[in-house]
Amino acid sequence: MSVTENIKNIHERMAAACARSGRRMEDITLVAVSKTKPVSMMQEAYETGCLDFGENKVQEIVNKKPQMPEDARFHMIGHLQTNKVGQVIDKAVLIHSVDSLHLAEKIEKEAEKREMISDILLEVNVAREESKYGMFLEDVTKNLEVISRFPHIRVKGLMTIAPNVENAEENRKFFKELYQLYVDIKSKNIDNGTMSMLSMGMTGDFEVAIEEGATLIRVGTGIFGSR
């Protein structure tokens, strides 16, 4: 199947998940995860109306952004090393993977240098997997209270990478837990009211994630084929 046909299929599955959960399709952003994929495939996705692209490595954003149309939006979704923040901060529309206070401090410093505001999500390791980055659920609120005082950062929401499972239903509990935390934080107004994004769900489990409240889904293999 071509990239165009794959995106059409993903859209149909998104629409069905929205119908099941009483949600609106326009409230969910499809981020096409283009890591390791050539710009030609990204351009095909762009032609279908896909404007949001997710990359795991800073260097790929740096290389690909100038080759894509100006309104294409790049999301940094992979682990971000502090020494790479300066290269990506003015190129990524959203950094999904802020997994520590230390990284947030570095983003604040770099954003201040450029006199800009950086939009970020806090990465939460809901399933407490040793192989994954991210804050534990119980640490998010206290970290957010500190980060929300940084003048050059806007915390737009939360992100998680759920376990790699055969049956997507196994991840429902993790999506539910993140959604609950998201709602709790919104009710406390810690973040000055910008908490509006929940990035969760990938090719294997995005329908469950939509049913549990995702506003951004990150689909790579489902669009571009296996890596």
Side-chain angles (χ1 to χ4, degrees), residues 34-37 55 57-64:
S34 44
K35 63 178 184 182
T36 76
K37 295 297 180 183
E55 292 289 348
K57 293 197 162 62
V58 169
Q59 200 52 50
E60 286 207 65
I61 295 181
V62 172
N63 293 344
K64 290 173 173 177

Side-chain angles (χ1 to χ4, degrees), residues 44-67:
E44 189 183 339
Y46 176 87
E47 293 299 323
T48 72
C50 186
L51 296 180
D52 294 271
F53 296 90
E55 292 289 348
N56 273 40
K57 293 197 162 62
V58 169
Q59 200 52 50
E60 286 207 65
I61 295 181
V62 172
N63 293 344
K64 290 173 173 177
K65 188 171 167 58
Q67 300 180 65

